[in-house]
Amino acid sequence: MDLRELEAFQAVVDAGGIGRAALRLHRAQSSITARIRQLETSLGVALFEREGRALRLTAAGDALLGYAGRLLDLAEAARAAVRQDGIGGRLRLGAMESVAASRLPLPLAEFHRRHPEVMVELQTAPSRELIARVQAGALDAAIVGEEVDAARYAGVPLYREELVLVGAHDDPSLASPRLLDGKTVLVFFGQGCAYRRRFEQWLQALRVVPARMLEFASYHALLAAAASGVGVCLIPRSVLAIYPQREALAVAAVPKRVARLQTLLVTPRALHTPALTRLVEALRADASASNAA
């Protein structure tokens, strides 16, 4: 069963016969008859009964009629969407909170200006949770801070983040991170945070064992605690740049192997929509400009 067969079937019903259907579709009568026979063969049922020169729908034909109309309408809607580049609908985008706060406001605003018919829903979570949501089909794409399975996902490099150590101005551990041994460090809530894992791995390499790790659900709360002298944290410099009380914090560089982190826009390899393609293009352009600055 294909669309041409359904189109012939619909025309015969609407026109009241094969001859008039052929005129309507600008086809030979033999072509319309062949389409109807092919459709009946594929379905394994007769769709018409002859009453003299007239055709009457069988019960099976009557049942098919409603479906045929809906399928043809859907096909026309698909053609219209393709002719209009298919830009529209909903996109579910996930991102780490740091990226959502410091990187996405401007490119998403520009994307909305250019494509107001696309509704972007933004969800924030740690990297591992975002990847799990993409895998489960709950997200169309996600910006994460770690490598993913290349066989399962397409990963587009986006923002190059520089991680820095942040604390109060009088905190000596900013000059010597080994002094964090037996002290308090501040981390983002959840084991799935890429920045937190980077911090923990670095401390392990230094053989530093903090007395405690205080977890925070937002970067503003984490930075406020750091400014108050509660402890130090490892965060992207881009997040620090948008913190209102930036002057209350001191910053120390860390080794390049720790500081450099590449974020990726992750999508399922099987997912390709015009709206998602445009969003990927917009984010890549913004990331390219940001990385070059």
Side-chain angles (χ1 to χ4, degrees):
M1 181 173 64
D2 64 27
L3 291 177
R4 289 172 297 180
E5 294 168 359
L6 290 176
E7 185 179 43
F9 170 71
Q10 182 81 62
V12 170
V13 174
D14 291 345
I18 289 177
R20 287 189 289 272
L23 290 173
R24 176 177 295 187
L25 296 178
H26 306 288
R27 298 283 191 275
Q29 290 190 37
S30 58
S31 174
I32 300 299
T33 299
R35 295 289 185 200
I36 297 299
R37 287 176 177 171
Q38 288 168 358
L39 181 58
E40 290 178 327
T41 299
S42 67
L43 294 174
V45 295
L47 299 175
F48 294 99
E49 293 177 345
R50 288 193 173 275
E51 293 184 343
R53 291 188 175 184
L55 292 178
R56 183 173 64 85
L57 281 173
T58 63
D62 188 59
L64 177 64
L65 184 59
Y67 290 104
R70 278 179 279 175
L71 288 170
L72 291 171
D73 288 344
L74 184 60
E76 181 56 35
R79 294 189 192 101
V82 170
R83 288 194 295 268
Q84 298 169 8
D85 290 332
I87 301 299
R90 179 183 64 155
L91 282 178
R92 300 163 300 172
L93 175 65
M96 298 177 290
E97 185 184 348
S98 60
V99 172
S102 64
R103 300 294 194 179
L104 295 185
L106 290 179
L108 287 186
E110 177 64 14
F111 181 81
H112 178 68
R113 185 187 68 79
R114 293 188 178 187
H115 306 290
E117 64 278 16
V118 180
M119 180 175 65
V120 178
E121 295 180 358
L122 181 62
Q123 303 177 27
T124 60
S127 290
R128 286 185 178 176
E129 184 175 340
L130 292 172
I131 294 171
R133 292 183 190 180
V134 172
Q135 182 178 1
L139 287 175
D140 301 309
I143 303 174
V144 301
E146 60 183 44
E147 295 293 331
V148 295
D149 183 356
R152 180 177 296 177
Y153 306 104
V156 178
L158 286 184
Y159 303 99
R160 291 196 297 265
E161 299 289 2
E162 178 196 2
L163 305 184
V164 292
L165 201 61
V166 176
H169 285 281
D170 59 353
D171 195 318
S173 59
L174 293 178
S176 179
R178 293 184 185 277
L179 294 178
L180 288 171
D181 193 63
K183 301 293 176 56
T184 297
V185 297
L186 313 177
V187 295
F188 192 63
F189 180 80
Q191 293 291 331
C193 175
Y195 305 137
R196 172 176 178 166
R197 277 198 308 283
R198 181 67 61 90
F199 197 9
E200 292 174 342
Q201 290 167 359
W202 182 39
L203 293 178
Q204 289 173 4
L206 293 174
R207 297 186 178 180
V208 168
V209 180
R212 64 188 62 83
M213 286 190 174
L214 295 185
E215 297 182 334
F216 294 82
S218 77
Y219 278 99
H220 275 76
L222 185 148
L223 290 172
S228 300
V230 176
V232 300
C233 57
L234 188 71
I235 65 166
R237 190 181 290 275
S238 59
V239 172
L240 187 62
I242 63 171
Y243 183 60
Q245 285 78 45
R246 164 68 179 80
E247 67 282 353
L249 293 160
V251 180
V254 300
K256 289 182 179 179
R257 68 180 186 281
V258 177
R260 293 177 176 175
L261 189 144
Q262 176 76 67
T263 60
L264 297 174
L265 179 66
V266 175
T267 61
R269 285 201 171 276
L271 180 63
H272 301 283
T273 66
L276 181 57
T277 298
R278 296 294 187 275
L279 180 62
V280 172
E281 291 172 352
L283 292 176
R284 288 185 69 177
D286 182 74
S288 179
S290 176
N291 293 338

